[in-house]
Amino acid sequence: MFDRDRLSRTDSSCIVIGGGITGLTIATVLQQQGVQVTVLDKGRGIGGRLATRRVQHSESIKGVFDYGTQYFSIKHPRSQTWVNEWLQQGVIREWCRGFGETDDKPRYCGVNGTRGIAKHLAQDLAVHSSTKVVKISYNTRWSITTEGDRQFEGDILVMAPPVPQSLDLLDNSQIVLPSHSRTSLEQISYHSCIAVLALLEQPSSIPAPGGIALADESLIWLADNYQKGISPQGHAITLHATPQFSEAYWNNKDAEIANKLFTAASNYLNSNVVKYQVHRWRYSLPKTLYHEPYFVCSSLPLVMAGDAFVAPKIEGAMQSGFAAAQYISNSLL
Ligand SMILES: Cc1cc2nc3c(=O)[nH]c(=O)nc-3n(C[C@H](O)[C@H](O)[C@H](O)COP(=O)(O)OP(=O)(O)OC[C@H]3O[C@@H](n4cnc5c(N)ncnc54)[C@H](O)[C@@H]3O)c2cc1C
């Protein structure tokens, strides 16, 4: 527990590094409980792996791509409550009940792409995007320095980037965690994933409802964002490479990567690619998980959370966020 004598709910402030779904969940819950919260994110757009991009080819051909998270489903009542609100507010909708084989579980997607969920959560929060934290220090309060030398201060620090990035930031700031905690956190590792965003001349032949999981050497997933309903002015296809392909070709030229993946996907593309972009996700899905839903530092008011603390999915990240926010809230007077 943090120092109860000093930290009261109404007087304390919290800095959240990372405006992905984890950081935004924590910030939303804490703000609802009266804590003053500031979210800092290095990305130009908010959302982290909730990522949607627009690519224009011509006046009439514009693609919209979900190139990180593709869809999500929900198991827990608390996240279902949030999802029901997002459905009502028109932020998300049901995409389908499965790809190929169906079941009774809704697969949700953002109405205008998954980044829309992050934008929706961010609208009521103090969020600073394009704000990369480069140094943190603690001396009765946290002092946060960003690229461009902006300063932020707070009583509690939440770190919600992928764990290796949080550990690098601690190292660069000469903040030493207790060694057993450090060792556990260092065990967390992630798959990488190369995503190719391809704009086609003609409709693809990806089967309805516009997504297919593949058991291929190089491709794990193909999505047709036109069929998905987020790209009405362009046949925008997202290709996700397997972890093995992504590791093997990480440093290859974009054109080489794209050509290999287009060949592997040729049965589904059915058309010329008029424009493409390649995005490399260094931290895609966690492959080893932490043994608790969040991490609390025993010597500093510092909490870490994210999908690697619960499950490699949107709902895993939300569950970690709920648990971390609950812990912080319980620690305040
Ligand atoms: C290719 C791909 C496909 C996926 N598909 C699915 C799917 O279909 N369904 C599903 O449920 N999940 C999927 N996921 C997983 C899902 O996206 C993640 O579980 C979830 O988004 C993790 O959210 P997060 O907030 O924990 O992390 P992130 O979204 O990674 O957020 C971390 C944030 O920290 C910021 N940050 C990092 N360092 C700093 C710094 N120094 N200063 C400021 N900000 C910083 C980053 O900019 C980022 O916004 C997929 C992920 C990928 C990459």
Side-chain angles (χ1 to χ4, degrees):
M1 285 277 174
F2 305 145
D3 184 355
R4 274 183 170 274
D5 294 339
R6 210 175 53 79
L7 293 176
S8 85
R9 187 178 306 270
T10 42
D11 294 337
S12 55
S13 59
C14 178
I15 304 279
V16 177
I17 304 176
I21 187 71
T22 303
L24 294 171
T25 300
I26 296 172
T28 301
V29 173
L30 289 179
Q31 182 165 287
Q32 282 166 352
Q33 300 190 358
V35 181
Q36 191 207 314
V37 189
T38 307
V39 180
L40 309 176
D41 196 283
K42 68 179 180 179
R44 204 149 47 90
I46 199 78
R49 283 172 274 168
L50 291 177
T52 307
R53 187 183 292 174
R54 280 160 179 71
V55 176
Q56 179 150 1
H57 172 61
S58 63
E59 206 32 60
S60 58
I61 304 182
K62 295 170 193 160
V64 181
F65 299 81
D66 277 339
Y67 61 102
T69 299
Q70 299 295 296
Y71 63 89
F72 63 99
S73 47
I74 291 296
K75 277 201 293 221
H76 296 90
R78 187 159 185 197
S79 11
Q80 189 66 59
T81 306
W82 282 39
V83 161
N84 290 345
E85 280 176 25
W86 296 343
L87 283 165
Q88 265 177 10
Q89 290 159 347
V91 178
I92 61 167
R93 63 177 170 76
E94 184 177 323
W95 180 3
C96 60
R97 300 251 164 153
F99 303 91
E101 282 179 20
T102 52
D103 51 37
D104 57 1
K105 202 169 59 178
R107 272 66 163 185
Y108 301 107
C109 67
V111 167
N112 298 312
T114 55
R115 199 189 295 283
I117 302 168
K119 284 187 185 164
H120 175 73
L121 288 172
Q123 70 192 354
D124 296 325
L125 296 167
V127 172
H128 300 259
S129 50
S130 301
T131 303
K132 181 175 181 177
V133 176
V134 290
K135 194 153 188 257
I136 58 179
S137 62
Y138 186 77
N139 179 10
T140 71
R141 299 192 85 208
W142 288 101
S143 226
I144 312 294
T145 308
T146 72
E147 242 171 28
D149 247 358
R150 287 187 69 189
Q151 303 286 330
F152 293 85
E153 291 214 336
D155 299 299
I156 302 160
L157 180 65
V158 173
M159 301 182 93
V163 174
Q165 292 183 327
S166 295
L167 294 179
D168 282 350
L169 181 55
L170 290 170
D171 289 346
N172 294 340
S173 308
Q174 278 112 43
I175 292 184
V176 180
L177 297 178
S179 67
H180 61 282
S181 308
R182 174 83 199 197
T183 308
S184 302
L185 291 165
E186 278 173 357
Q187 306 306 312
I188 300 170
S189 61
Y190 296 72
H191 292 293
S192 55
C193 176
I194 297 181
V196 178
L197 294 64
L199 202 45
L200 305 185
E201 209 166 51
Q202 302 288 330
S204 80
S205 44
I206 295 171
I212 184 164
L214 299 168
D216 187 271
E217 261 175 36
S218 48
L219 278 172
I220 197 168
W221 171 257
L222 287 174
D224 181 333
N225 296 285
Y226 176 84
Q227 287 190 60
K228 190 179 187 179
I230 66 166
S231 181
Q233 282 183 269
H235 297 288
I237 310 302
T238 304
L239 301 89
H240 280 165
T242 58
Q244 297 74 13
F245 180 97
S246 302
E247 283 301 333
Y249 289 91
W250 191 258
N251 293 317
N252 286 49
K253 292 204 168 86
D254 285 2
E256 220 174 306
I257 290 171
N259 285 334
K260 281 196 182 295
L261 295 181
F262 293 155
T263 305
S266 57
N267 286 346
Y268 297 101
L269 294 187
N270 197 34
S271 163
N272 285 336
V273 174
V274 293
K275 196 164 190 172
Y276 71 84
Q277 294 182 1
V278 175
H279 182 86
R280 292 167 179 77
W281 293 104
R282 172 47 80 200
Y283 304 107
S284 162
L285 303 179
K287 50 181 164 181
T288 41
L289 300 179
Y290 194 68
H291 55 278
E292 299 279 349
Y294 54 86
F295 162 76
V296 182
C297 180
S298 54
S299 49
L300 295 164
L302 166 66
V303 171
M304 280 187 206
D307 56 350
F309 294 82
V310 174
K313 289 183 171 164
I314 292 302
E315 192 179 28
M318 290 173 75
Q319 291 298 315
S320 175
F322 290 142
Q326 187 67 52
Y327 173 85
I328 294 168
S329 177
N330 290 347
S331 302
L332 300 172
L333 281 176

